[in-house]
Amino acid sequence: AEQKKDLKGAATLLRELVGKDPNDFVAWGRLGSVHFEMNDLKAAEAAYGKAIEAKPDFGFGMMNLGRIYLVQNKIDAAIEMLLRATQAEPNVPRGFQLLGEAYLLARKGTLGVEALNEAIRLDPVGMAECHLLMARLYDRAGARSWASREYKLFLGKVPEHAERKKFEKYIKDNPPEPDDQ
């Protein structure tokens, strides 16, 4: 049903599964994802909560619940949940990316940069977008040479990006300090 994009059908089937086995944390997690795709955040939040209740160290469920909190602008709750997720799944870069974004929204730049750098360390190319988040942060803070460094690092990983010329101009206009390269 999910593959056919029949989200209502998938939700019905998954509810049947968890009705038969309320401890099936994977089914609860899938149900949460289906509800999220249907933009039913309340139902998604409840399903992920049940998944975590069934398996308290279920990092996938915590990460997605944290993502829902971010969408709902519940930043402190998002940080708390995403911290738990990254502790449960320390090798999943997406959790660190979301945690970094949550910290940035909470105006905790140092912690945000730390989490974003961990995401990049775990998946240098797949998490290259984290360089853009940090570049924007540094630019807003007036640290343009640091922003340039992040744009340069990003382009080294994603050389064919649509905004390449814009980033190259920024780098040329705001060269990274020798120590920043």
Side-chain angles (χ1 to χ4, degrees):
E2 279 184 87
Q3 288 175 351
K4 293 177 182 177
K5 298 296 180 194
D6 176 12
L7 298 178
K8 287 184 181 181
T12 298
L13 293 170
L14 288 163
R15 277 193 295 275
E16 286 177 23
L17 275 174
V18 296
K20 292 177 183 175
D21 182 2
N23 292 319
D24 188 342
F25 66 95
V26 174
W28 280 115
R30 292 299 321 140
L31 182 58
S33 295
V34 167
H35 284 302
F36 189 85
E37 280 188 61
M38 294 187 325
N39 204 30
D40 185 349
L41 297 182
K42 186 175 180 178
E45 182 177 347
Y48 287 129
K50 289 287 192 179
I52 296 165
E53 189 179 302
K55 185 171 177 17
D57 64 343
F58 186 38
F60 171 80
M62 288 183 268
M63 184 176 66
N64 283 300
L65 188 52
R67 194 170 108 201
I68 288 170
Y69 291 153
L70 277 176
V71 170
Q72 296 172 333
N73 206 30
K74 297 176 182 176
I75 306 303
D76 290 338
I79 290 170
E80 181 182 330
M81 191 55 60
L82 292 165
L83 274 171
R84 286 180 55 198
T86 57
Q87 290 165 355
E89 299 284 347
N91 295 316
V92 177
R94 178 75 169 133
F96 286 98
Q97 179 191 23
L98 291 168
L99 179 59
E101 291 176 17
Y103 277 135
L104 294 182
L105 289 170
R107 300 189 184 280
K108 296 179 179 181
T110 302
L111 293 171
V113 166
E114 187 178 297
L116 293 170
N117 276 322
E118 181 61 11
I120 293 167
R121 187 189 71 74
L122 291 168
D123 185 2
V125 175
M127 291 286 124
E129 296 277 330
C130 293
H131 288 296
L132 297 181
L133 290 170
M134 289 188 286
R136 287 186 208 110
L137 171 72
Y138 291 138
D139 181 68
R140 287 182 186 142
R144 289 182 175 76
S145 69
W146 288 23
S148 286
R149 180 194 68 211
E150 294 301 330
Y151 284 131
K152 190 173 182 179
L153 289 168
F154 174 77
L155 289 174
K157 296 170 185 175
V158 187
E160 302 304 319
H161 192 270
E163 296 187 68
R164 177 181 185 86
K165 290 189 188 306
K166 174 183 156 186
F167 297 152
E168 287 175 335
K169 181 179 180 344
Y170 187 98
I171 294 166
K172 183 181 177 200
D173 293 345
N174 306 282
E177 298 291 325
D179 293 335
D180 292 342
Q181 297 185 35

